[in-house]
Amino acid sequence: MDRIVITGGTRLSGEVCVSGSKNATLALMAAALLGRGETVLENVPGVRDVEHMLALLRALGAQADWDAQDSHTVRINPESVATPEAPYELVRKMRASFMVLGPLVARFGCGRVSEPGGCAIGVRPIDQHLKGLQALGAKIRLDHGVIEAFGARLQGASISFDTVTVNGTQNVMMAATLADGETVLDNAAREPEVVELADMLNRMGAEIRGAGSDRVVIQGVPELRGVSHRVSGDRIEAGTLLAAGMITRGDVLVTGIDPVTMDSMLDKMRETGAQITTTVDSVHVRADAPSEPIRVVTAPYPSFPTDMQAQLMAVLCLGRSSSVVTETVFENRFMHVPELVRMGADIALDGRSAHIRGVSVLAAAPVMATDLRASACLLVAGLAARGETVVNRVYHIDRGYERIEEKLCSLGAEIRREG
Ligand code: EPU
């Protein structure tokens, strides 16, 4: 099993370009099921979750693969979908698989997707996805761990989500594009990935207004067609690379990213004392001193993203004084804390908050984590730790970061992958 070995202490400097957004891509791939003919996605990151989604689309009977000429383009043609059933093996590995349910029922009249169950970062129910699809008239049945949704023709409806859910908003929005009449989604997620999905659906022929606000209005249309779409840069990968720059007191330019989608992250990074400057498609960070103490509270967009909480915490471990990080989105997203403590960090957990007292050094150790962002946090910590940090279970990182060790290496990090 692969592991990543980092010799900490090198100051990172230079320029690095982010890959396309993993989370945007996964929703866009599900949306391809709605269009007649082929959808082509460019700037797709070469990460494990994308491979899972390709495998899932193929299991449904769609043609779905990487382009033969371009290693960052995927082509999806749903015309041959035969068995609208997402198998447990794939859904279990990746919860985002559940996003195919809305498109399947809207386009093919029925969909069967295994109940995803819990995952490393919390219980993560899917009740809001189901509430939305039911409101659109889909009949939902749970049969031996498989959720079935039927509905010959969905009907527009007014739906108010009880909690803000990104994939739930996307799933129901996709289903509503082919419903009869108007659907209004209230308390919708406002993430850039929701906006990007709405933009692509509109180019496929959908009529969606308000994406990016908490009220999305969808006028159903009879059919959608496949399109070509270029996936935007990954704001969480960008944030992770900036954190790597900060923890090594480096000077790093991250390109291929719209900084507007990173406002809350960049604000917090500035509060730590890092110098941040932006252009339309890049962010530059320079950090010369230990970070100042800050308070971070994760919450849905436009607030600070839960997906960057762990990586920023690594930086705060070497801060000048005490910081507090509060996680409000997921109930179990502090798995990196015990590992950081093993590296010498001083962190006390108190319910949903982590109290971090800055220390002057972190010490390398063998570490492992059980989810993607926790693993990224350990990579960041390893870059500044004294000695050789070995990050095990690298497959978590490979789910969402493309060639991260090569990118860090290009910035001067002493990092290698071992098989
Ligand atoms: N929730 C419910 N009921 C639902 C759906 C969600 O109670 O029906 C709760 C969840 O349990 C959680 C909160 O709502 O407490 C927010 O979850 P959300 O549904 O927004 O998460 P998601 O859509 O399943 C996406 C990203 C995650 C990211 C979250 C929050 C994808 C593929 N995944 O998940 O990304 O953390 O939004 O921003 O888009 C990651 O990339 O590492 C990752 C986990």
Side-chain angles (χ1 to χ4, degrees):
M1 206 178 284
D2 284 7
R3 52 203 201 143
I4 289 181
V5 181
I6 311 155
T7 307
T10 313
R11 178 173 180 270
L12 299 194
S13 71
E15 178 178 333
V16 61
C17 185
V18 294
S19 298
S21 160
K22 168 191 76 104
N23 286 347
T25 299
L26 295 174
L28 298 168
M29 291 174 78
L33 288 168
L34 290 163
R36 292 197 182 268
E38 186 177 68
T39 285
V40 180
L41 299 176
E42 293 164 17
N43 199 33
V44 172
V47 296
R48 190 80 63 88
D49 276 6
V50 169
E51 298 290 356
H52 284 324
M53 193 56 120
L54 284 170
L56 170 54
L57 294 173
R58 284 195 290 267
L60 298 172
Q63 289 168 30
D65 217 333
W66 295 98
D67 183 88
Q69 318 296 328
D70 182 333
S71 62
H72 289 102
T73 294
V74 301
R75 295 178 172 274
I76 300 164
N77 191 327
E79 295 309 316
S80 49
V81 166
T83 37
E85 170 157 358
Y88 176 64
E89 261 321 290
L90 292 169
V91 181
R92 185 180 62 80
K93 284 186 191 145
M94 189 184 68
R95 293 181 55 88
S97 310
F98 204 72
M99 270 191 291
V100 300
L101 190 62
L104 284 177
V105 68
R107 168 98 192 261
F108 301 99
C110 73
R112 289 167 52 90
V113 179
S114 287
E115 215 281 323
C119 77
I121 59 178
V123 181
R124 295 182 83 179
I126 38 143
D127 58 311
Q128 298 303 305
H129 300 235
L130 299 181
K131 168 181 162 166
L133 295 178
Q134 265 168 329
L136 295 174
K139 299 272 172 292
I140 306 282
R141 201 168 69 194
L142 179 64
D143 181 27
H144 294 90
V146 175
I147 290 171
E148 299 182 319
F150 302 93
R153 186 78 197 163
L154 301 179
Q155 299 291 327
S158 281
I159 299 157
S160 181
F161 290 109
D162 301 318
T163 186
V164 179
T165 157
V166 180
N167 290 176
T169 300
Q170 292 171 318
N171 209 347
V172 179
M173 185 168 87
M174 288 190 276
T177 57
L178 292 180
D180 283 333
E182 185 177 271
T183 297
V184 180
L185 304 181
D186 277 311
N187 200 22
R190 300 160 62 185
E191 268 67 4
E193 294 76 20
V194 174
V195 177
E196 183 162 358
L197 174 64
D199 286 347
M200 185 177 96
L201 288 167
N202 281 342
R203 286 199 300 104
M204 293 170 80
E207 290 181 21
I208 303 172
R209 284 177 286 124
S213 76
D214 60 3
R215 169 171 279 204
V216 180
V217 180
I218 305 135
Q219 192 64 46
V221 296
E223 65 175 50
L224 300 180
R225 57 186 174 276
V227 288
S228 287
H229 176 87
R230 184 174 171 81
V231 179
S232 55
D234 194 309
R235 63 196 172 100
I236 305 299
E237 185 194 358
T240 305
L241 292 164
L242 293 173
M246 288 165 71
I247 202 167
T248 63
R249 312 241 184 110
D251 186 338
V252 170
L253 177 67
V254 178
T255 62
I257 186 67
D258 175 359
V260 172
T261 63
M262 298 182 68
D263 267 352
S264 59
M265 281 184 243
L266 300 183
D267 283 350
K268 285 294 158 191
M269 289 175 176
R270 284 192 183 99
E271 270 184 47
T272 69
Q275 296 158 48
I276 303 273
T277 50
T278 61
T279 69
V280 282
D281 62 356
S282 73
V283 183
H284 178 237
V285 68
R286 193 189 153 110
D288 297 321
S291 60
E292 297 294 328
I294 58 168
R295 283 182 172 268
V296 181
V297 181
T298 68
Y301 193 85
S303 294
F304 190 90
T306 172
D307 290 346
M308 259 306 289
Q309 177 256 109
Q311 302 91 312
L312 189 62
M313 191 187 294
V315 177
L316 300 177
C317 287
L318 287 171
R320 214 177 42 74
S321 177
S322 297
S323 292
V324 183
V325 173
T326 303
E327 170 62 50
T328 75
V329 179
F330 291 111
E331 71 270 23
N332 184 26
R333 216 175 191 184
F334 280 139
M335 286 90 61
H336 44 287
V337 168
E339 299 297 287
L340 288 172
V341 168
R342 291 182 53 245
M343 296 175 78
D346 182 349
I347 308 172
L349 282 180
D350 172 18
R352 295 197 150 207
S353 293
H355 297 262
I356 304 138
R357 289 202 350 203
V359 294
S360 52
V361 282
L362 290 175
V367 286
M368 68 170 133
T370 44
D371 96 296
L372 169 62
R373 308 303 173 186
S375 310
C377 149
L378 298 175
L379 271 192
V380 171
L383 291 168
R386 212 170 260 173
E388 201 173 78
T389 296
V390 180
V391 181
N392 292 293
R393 297 200 184 167
V394 168
Y395 55 84
H396 287 298
I397 295 175
D398 293 337
R399 288 188 60 169
Y401 292 91
E402 179 178 356
R403 300 181 293 102
I404 186 76
E405 72 282 9
E406 285 177 33
K407 290 184 183 177
L408 290 169
C409 200
S410 76
L411 296 173
E414 270 191 61
I415 182 169
R416 63 181 190 277
R417 182 182 288 252
E418 289 183 348

